[in-house]
C-alpha cells in the first residue's frame, strides 16, 4: 500500500509538471506570435536556458518601466524581456527545467526528442519550443534512478510545441 501511495504521488506530481510545461510553452508561443516582427527577424531563435538566463536592466523591465517609444524600439525590448522572464519561470517551475527555442526540421529522432536543432531550411524550418525537466518517475528497472535524464545528467525533452510550421509568408 505504501508503494502504491508513493507511485500515486509521483504520477500526480509528474502530471502537474506536464501541465506547467505545456502552459509555459503555450505562453511563450503566444508571446512570439504577438511580437511577429521580432519572431520573423529571429529574435527568439537559438534560445537555450542551459546557456544562462538573460539579465534585464530596470529600464528594460516591462514590469517596472513601460516602453514609451515607437514599435521599432519597443518590440526588441519586449522580445528580450519575454525570453528572460519566461526562462526564469521554466527553470524555477520545473525540477532541472530546460527550454530551447529554435528552428528544427528534425525534432524527433529514433531515440526520441533531441535538444539539438537542425535548422536546414533557415526561416522555412519549423519554429519550435522544447521543454524538459527531471522526472519524478524511476527508471524502468525501478532502481531509484530518476527518469528523464540525458547521459550528462541533464533533463530530456518532454514537451515540444510548434510555434510556426516554417512557411515564410
Amino acid at each position: 500500500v505504501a508503494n502504491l501511495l508513493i507511485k500515486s504521488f509521483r504520477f500526480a506530481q509528474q502530471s502537474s509538471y506536464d501541465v506547467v510545461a505545456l502552459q509555459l510553452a503555450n505562453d511563450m508561443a503566444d508571446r512570439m506570435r504577438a511580437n511577429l516582427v521580432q519572431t520573423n527577424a529571429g529574435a527568439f531563435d537559438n534560445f537555450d536556458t542551459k546557456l544562462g538566463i538573460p539579465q534585464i536592466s530596470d529600464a528594460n523591465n516591462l514590469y517596472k518601466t513601460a516602453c514609451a517609444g515607437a514599435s521599432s524600439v519597443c518590440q526588441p525590448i519586449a522580445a528580450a524581456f519575454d525570453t528572460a522572464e519566461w526562462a526564469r519561470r521554466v527553470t524555477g517551475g520545473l525540477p532541472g527545467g530546460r527550454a530551447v527555442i529554435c528552428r528544427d526540421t528534425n525534432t524527433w529522432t529514433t531515440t526520441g526528442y533531441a535538444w539539438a536543432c537542425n535548422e536546414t531550411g533557415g526561416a522555412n524550418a519549423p519554429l519550435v519550443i522544447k521543454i524538459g525537466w527531471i522526472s519524478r518517475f524511476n527508471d524502468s528497472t525501478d532502481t531509484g534512478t530518476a527518469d528523464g535524464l540525458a547521459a550528462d545528467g541533464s533533463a530530456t525533452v518532454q514537451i515540444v510545441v510548434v510555434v510556426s510550421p516554417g512557411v515564410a509568408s
Side-chain angles (χ1 to χ4, degrees):
V1 171
N3 189 25
L4 187 60
L5 287 172
I6 290 170
K7 288 192 181 211
S8 173
F9 172 72
R10 286 185 183 150
F11 275 108
Q13 191 166 41
Q14 182 65 20
S15 176
S16 71
Y17 292 148
D18 291 343
V19 170
V20 167
L22 191 55
Q23 287 174 336
L24 287 168
N26 285 326
D27 174 57
M28 190 59 178
D30 288 343
R31 291 172 187 240
M32 293 168 70
R33 290 180 189 118
N35 197 347
L36 200 54
V37 170
Q38 290 298 302
T39 301
N40 290 339
F44 297 97
D45 292 10
N46 301 315
F47 179 81
D48 189 345
T49 58
K50 187 175 182 180
L51 303 176
I53 298 172
Q55 298 301 309
I56 300 295
S57 68
D58 283 350
N60 292 335
N61 183 335
L62 298 180
Y63 289 141
K64 292 184 176 187
T65 309
C67 187
S71 62
S72 61
V73 172
C74 291
Q75 288 170 343
I77 291 172
F81 174 78
D82 284 346
T83 53
E85 191 265 341
W86 180 75
R88 281 182 188 76
R89 290 174 48 214
V90 169
T91 58
L94 298 168
R98 180 179 176 193
V100 169
I101 302 170
C102 63
R103 297 201 176 271
D104 194 1
T105 56
N106 194 26
T107 301
W108 176 261
T109 66
T110 56
T111 57
Y113 291 109
W115 288 116
C117 298
N118 179 358
E119 298 183 31
T120 305
N124 288 326
L127 183 59
V128 298
I129 298 171
K130 303 174 184 183
I131 299 180
W133 62 94
I134 299 172
S135 173
R136 294 284 299 163
F137 293 126
N138 289 341
D139 62 1
S140 58
T141 59
D142 210 22
T143 60
T145 304
D147 228 357
L149 289 177
D152 64 358
S154 64
T156 57
V157 179
Q158 296 194 39
I159 288 183
V160 176
V161 171
V162 178
V163 177
S164 76
V167 178
S169 54

